[in-house]
Amino acid sequence: MIKTIATTPYTDQKMGTGGLRKKTKVMMQPNYFENFIQSIFNTIGDLRGKVFIVGGDGRFFNDIAIQKFIKMAAANGVAKLIIGQNGFVSTPAGSNILLKNHTDGGFVFSASHNPGGENGDFGVKYANATGGQVPTSITDKIYQISKEIKEFKIYESDDIDISKIGTQKLGDMIIEVIDPIKDYVEMMEKIFDFEALKQLFKKGFTMRFDAMNAVTGPYAIRIFEEILGAAKGSVVHAQPLPDFGGLHPDPNLVYAKELVDFMYSDQAADFGAANDGDGDRNMILGKKFFVTPSDSLAILTDNYKLIPAYANGIYGVGKSAATSTAVARVAKAHNIGYYEVPTGWKYFVNLMDSNRITFCGEESFGTGSSHIREKDGIWAVLFWLSIIAKTGKSVEEITKEHWGKYGRSYYMRFDFEGISTEVGDTLMKDLENKLPSLKDKTFEGFTIEKAAPFIYNDPVDHSTTQNGLIVYFTDGSRIVYRLSGTGSSGATIRVYLERYSLKDLNQDPRDMLQNLSKAAMIIAEIPERTGKHQADVVT
C-alpha cells in the first residue's frame, strides 16, 4: 500500500561537489533522508518508465537507507531498480552499470572518503543519465524543493531481500539484484591487457592493496588475487565494514598510515595502492616512494599508448585548478587537448561527453577516464600496473624518468579543518578583495606576478563558475586557496602549493616549499583569522 506522509522541511540539504554529506545522526533524523529523496524525485518529475541504479559503500545506515529508497521509488512510480547484491556498489562500478544499461540515473549512498559509523558521516550521490554527477542547475532545484517539501510517498511493506541475485517486484516496480563486480571486471578487461598483468605476477611481482575496510575490497580480491594472480593476502582490509573498522577511508599519507609504513619498511612490496570508501580515489606507492596525485595524472597521460584501449590516441586531458601543472606539460608535448576546471568531477563530464578529453584528475587522489563518468580508483591502479608490466621499471624509476623529461612540480596540500563557516567565508572574501593589490609584492622571496579568482567558462554549455583563488609568482610557483565543501560540518580551508623546477629534481618537498608555505600563511592571514599556526592535515 502506498502512503503519503506529511513532513516539514529541513533547510540544510544543499548538495556539494560530492552530493549531500552530513553526519550520520543528522541523516537519521525523522524524515530527513526521505525528504531529500522525495525532493530529487520531485525535481525529476514523472517517474513512470524510469530505471535507476542503487547501491552504497556499506557504511552505517546504508542498509536502512536502501530499504527506504526502494519503498519510496515504488510509491513514486519508478519502473525498475538495479541494486548491487547486499546493497554494495562502488561509485565507479555504479557509473558503469548505469551507462551499460542506459538507465535514467543512479544513487550511491556514500560520504566517499569521510569516516563511517554511527558517529561518522553519511551521504547521497545522485547521477543523471550521463553517469556523472548532476550539474549545479539541477542541485539548485533540488535544494529549493527541499526547503518547501510538505510530504513524501512511501510503499508500506516488509523489507526487500537484496542478498540474492535475481528479480522480484514491489507493487508494479521491478527490482533486479545483480553481482556488482561482474560488469566492472568485464569493463577493465576491455581496457587493459590482463594477460600481460598475469605474467607480471607470475614473475614474482608483489603488491599491497589497502581497501580500508571499504567497498572495493571484494572488487580488489576478484581482480588482483583471483584473476591476475597476485599472492593471496595482497589485498588487506578487504571486508567492507559499517565503520570501516575505525579507519578513516581516505587514501592519503595521513589516513592510510598502515600501508605507508609497510611500503617504507624493508619488507615493502614492489607496489602499493589504496582506495577510499566508495572506490573512486586512489593512492600510489612504490618501495619507499610516494607518487603525488598530480604526478600520477601526468604519468598516466604520458604513457597512454601502453594501454590497449587508448593505443590509437586520446582526445585530451583535464585537471582541476588546484592540481599541479605537471599534466599541462605532457599535454603540450603530445599535442592533445588540455583543460583546467573547478574542483568537482561534474565539470569533466561535459568535456568527456563532447570528446574533448579522455583522461582527467584532481589533486585529491582522484583519477579517471571517459570509460565512465566518475573517478575510478582500481582503474588507476591497473593503469600503473600496466606501465610497470610494459616497461619493466619500478614506480620510482618511472616517476623519476618523468621528472627528467618534463621537470618536477613540487606540490603539497595543507588542510585547515574545523573552521567555522563564517570565519572561512570571511577569510576567502577578504582575500579575494585584496588580490589586485598584491601584484609585484614579495613574500618570503617570492614575487607575485598575478593574483585572481579562478573563473571557468565551460566550452560546452557556456556556463561560468568561480572556484578558488590563485596567486601566481614570477618564477612559475603558485598558491591556490579554496574553501572545501566535502566535510559534513564546518569548513575546511585548503591551501595548495606548487613550485616548478627543471634541475633540482630529488629534493624534499617540505624543504622546497617551506618559504612558499610561509608566504601562503601571511598572504591569507590564516593564523590571525583561524587561530591555527599549522595545518591539520598535510598531503
Side-chain angles (χ1 to χ4, degrees):
M1 184 178 76
I2 297 174
K3 295 185 68 175
T4 300
I5 309 293
T7 189
T8 54
Y10 292 89
T11 59
D12 62 342
Q13 295 188 332
K14 187 173 179 64
M15 298 172 72
T17 57
L20 181 70
R21 293 179 189 168
K22 296 291 179 181
K23 288 295 182 185
T24 306
K25 288 182 178 178
V26 171
M27 280 282 190
M28 293 172 66
Q29 293 178 95
N31 300 343
Y32 190 97
F33 176 82
E34 292 90 334
N35 279 13
F36 184 63
I37 297 303
Q38 189 67 56
S39 297
I40 296 176
F41 285 163
N42 290 353
T43 301
I44 296 170
D46 188 357
L47 294 173
R48 289 174 298 179
K50 301 290 187 185
V51 180
F52 297 106
I53 306 298
V54 186
D57 63 10
R59 67 179 60 225
F60 189 88
F61 190 59
N62 188 79
D63 52 348
I64 297 172
I66 286 179
Q67 293 294 336
K68 288 177 182 287
F69 183 90
I70 293 171
K71 296 169 188 176
M72 290 186 67
N76 279 274
V78 172
K80 181 179 180 179
L81 296 180
I82 301 174
I83 304 176
Q85 187 178 20
N86 296 312
F88 290 102
V89 170
S90 74
T91 290
S95 184
N96 174 54
I97 296 166
L98 189 161
L99 292 170
K100 180 178 179 179
N101 292 275
H102 305 287
T103 72
D104 299 286
F107 294 81
V108 174
F109 301 136
S110 170
S112 190
H113 54 288
N114 291 9
E118 187 174 4
N119 296 313
D121 297 342
F122 191 83
V124 177
K125 289 185 173 185
Y126 166 48
N128 59 17
T130 68
Q133 300 168 22
V134 291
T136 304
S137 59
I138 300 299
T139 60
D140 287 345
K141 289 180 183 177
I142 295 169
Y143 179 50
Q144 189 58 44
I145 289 173
S146 76
K147 294 189 293 183
E148 302 167 355
I149 193 168
K150 295 179 181 176
E151 63 184 29
F152 64 87
K153 295 179 180 180
I154 192 163
Y155 208 101
E156 195 173 53
S157 73
D158 293 334
D159 284 353
I160 302 300
D161 183 0
I162 56 175
S163 66
K164 297 176 182 178
I165 293 173
T167 301
Q168 52 194 303
K169 292 187 75 174
L170 178 60
D172 294 328
M173 185 179 73
I174 297 171
I175 300 168
E176 182 182 2
V177 178
I178 65 168
D179 176 352
I181 303 175
K182 178 178 177 291
D183 288 343
Y184 183 82
V185 171
E186 290 176 356
M187 176 177 60
M188 292 297 107
E189 288 176 327
K190 292 177 182 177
I191 296 173
F192 300 103
D193 183 350
F194 268 39
E195 289 306 313
L197 296 177
K198 290 176 183 177
Q199 291 302 314
L200 177 68
F201 286 107
K202 280 185 178 179
K203 294 175 183 176
F205 184 85
T206 58
M207 73 176 290
R208 173 70 65 92
F209 181 94
D210 194 337
M212 304 191 84
N213 293 321
V215 74
T216 56
Y219 291 81
I221 288 177
R222 180 89 60 91
I223 293 171
F224 301 125
E225 295 188 10
E226 296 177 2
I227 298 176
L228 297 181
K232 190 173 182 179
S234 295
V235 179
V236 298
H237 298 131
Q239 178 65 44
L241 299 173
D243 64 349
F244 303 119
L247 297 178
H248 187 145
D250 194 351
N252 60 41
L253 295 171
V254 175
Y255 295 124
K257 187 177 184 302
E258 183 177 323
L259 175 66
V260 173
D261 288 346
F262 172 75
M263 289 303 297
Y264 276 79
S265 73
D266 292 337
Q267 291 76 43
D270 296 311
F271 177 81
N275 278 180
D276 71 331
D278 64 330
D280 60 1
R281 298 187 178 205
N282 73 92
M283 178 172 67
I284 303 298
L285 296 160
K287 287 186 176 181
K288 300 183 180 181
F289 194 83
F290 165 66
V291 183
T292 70
S294 296
D295 278 342
S296 182
L297 175 62
I299 291 167
L300 299 189
T301 304
D302 196 40
N303 288 278
Y304 72 83
K305 292 181 181 178
L306 299 180
I307 309 302
Y310 313 118
N312 293 328
I314 60 174
Y315 293 114
V317 62
K319 78 170 190 71
S320 65
T323 303
S324 92
T325 57
V327 77
R329 296 185 284 275
V330 175
K332 183 177 180 181
H334 287 274
N335 194 28
I336 58 175
Y338 167 73
Y339 296 85
E340 191 172 64
V341 308
T343 295
W345 209 258
K346 61 185 176 182
Y347 295 104
F348 293 126
V349 174
N350 277 349
L351 299 175
M352 288 188 275
D353 286 345
S354 61
N355 292 334
R356 283 173 165 84
I357 64 171
T358 303
F359 296 160
C360 45
E362 296 178 333
E363 58 73 36
S364 53
F365 295 83
T367 329
S369 87
S370 55
H371 66 289
I372 55 171
R373 296 299 182 266
E374 290 280 1
K375 53 182 91 81
D376 190 342
I378 286 180
W379 171 88
V381 174
L382 287 169
F383 202 136
W384 265 97
L385 289 173
S386 298
I387 297 173
I388 294 167
K390 294 294 176 67
T391 64
K393 296 172 183 175
S394 69
V395 171
E396 181 174 0
E397 288 170 336
I398 292 165
T399 305
K400 288 188 173 180
E401 284 189 14
H402 182 86
W403 293 341
K405 184 177 178 181
Y406 292 103
R408 180 179 181 184
S409 284
Y410 285 93
Y411 183 90
M412 294 179 73
R413 186 182 93 186
F414 295 77
D415 291 357
F416 298 88
E417 299 179 335
I419 308 293
S420 75
T421 302
E422 182 180 359
V423 168
D425 287 341
T426 302
L427 184 152
M428 293 296 288
K429 182 178 179 180
D430 290 348
L431 178 57
E432 181 178 349
N433 288 337
K434 80 173 185 179
L435 288 181
S437 67
L438 294 176
K439 182 175 169 54
D440 298 327
K441 289 188 177 180
T442 300
F443 296 87
E444 300 295 320
F446 293 88
T447 302
I448 295 176
E449 181 178 31
K450 182 178 75 170
F454 173 70
I455 298 175
Y456 177 63
N457 297 306
D458 192 295
V460 181
D461 63 22
H462 307 294
S463 62
T464 299
T465 305
Q466 179 175 319
N467 186 273
L469 311 172
I470 306 181
V471 178
Y472 302 88
F473 296 91
T474 54
D475 70 340
S477 298
R478 298 191 315 157
I479 300 173
V480 180
Y481 298 93
R482 193 174 71 84
L483 198 62
S484 174
T486 59
S488 60
S489 60
T492 296
I493 296 171
R494 302 198 195 280
V495 181
Y496 311 83
L497 308 178
E498 177 182 0
R499 184 178 178 185
Y500 177 61
S501 177
L502 269 169
K503 295 181 178 179
D504 295 320
L505 303 179
N506 297 298
Q507 303 302 311
D508 187 323
R510 292 169 295 184
D511 294 335
M512 291 293 286
L513 295 169
Q514 183 177 18
N515 289 338
L516 194 62
S517 173
K518 292 178 182 178
M521 299 285 279
I522 295 169
I523 292 169
E525 302 174 5
I526 290 175
E528 296 87 344
R529 290 172 176 267
T530 69
K532 293 178 179 287
H533 293 270
Q534 60 184 22
D536 297 281
V537 179
V538 179
T539 52

